[in-house]
Each structure stands twice: as C-alpha cells, then as structure tokens.
Amino acid sequence: MSDNTKLNDEWKKRELGALWRVDGKQQSFYSGSIKDSTGEEIKIVCFPNSFKEKGSNQPDIRIYTSKEGD
C-alpha cells in the first residue's frame, strides 16, 4: 500500500461529515451533515454569527440542526 493510500485511509476514518455553501436570498450559509459518536448522520446548517462584537471571543459561526425538509 502506498503512503498516499495510507494517508487517504487515515483521513477517511477521521472524517465527521461535509458542508456545502448555499447562497440564500438574504445570506449565504453552509449545509451538510456530520456523524455522531454512534455513526448516526445529523443534518446541520451553519450561519455566520451576525451578533459578534469586534474583539470579543464569541464564535464566528453558529451550528444548528437542520429542520425536517431542509
């Protein structure tokens, strides 16, 4: 097995999910899914924190579970 294949296998084992950028009517956000510790897939959406104050330690992005049908 090549070093590249070993590296790809390692990354695949560590992967939790993936996100896609969605350009909405009012703002852009990310949508996708992550796996929990049992391997169950959870659909999520991620939005920039529009309430973040400059110089604060508030998060840049907020992550939410996606509502059914999203």
Side-chain angles (χ1 to χ4, degrees):
M1 187 180 299
S2 73
D3 287 340
N4 233 7
T5 303
K6 288 179 187 175
L7 186 60
N8 286 340
D9 287 346
E10 180 184 337
W11 280 105
K12 189 172 184 175
K13 289 177 188 175
R14 293 172 49 196
E15 184 174 335
L16 296 176
L19 299 172
W20 287 262
R21 182 184 168 116
V22 178
D23 292 320
K25 292 179 183 176
Q26 295 182 2
Q27 71 179 33
S28 295
F29 61 96
Y30 290 89
S31 178
S33 63
I34 58 172
K35 294 177 187 172
D36 68 13
S37 61
T38 66
E40 184 177 340
E41 189 175 272
I42 302 168
K43 292 184 180 182
I44 62 170
V45 291
C46 306
F47 294 95
N49 183 2
S50 57
F51 299 106
K52 181 173 179 164
E53 297 173 5
K54 187 175 181 176
S56 74
N57 66 346
Q58 297 171 326
D60 295 314
I61 296 173
R62 296 276 183 184
I63 303 170
Y64 303 92
T65 55
S66 185
K67 291 195 277 184
E68 282 297 316
D70 288 351

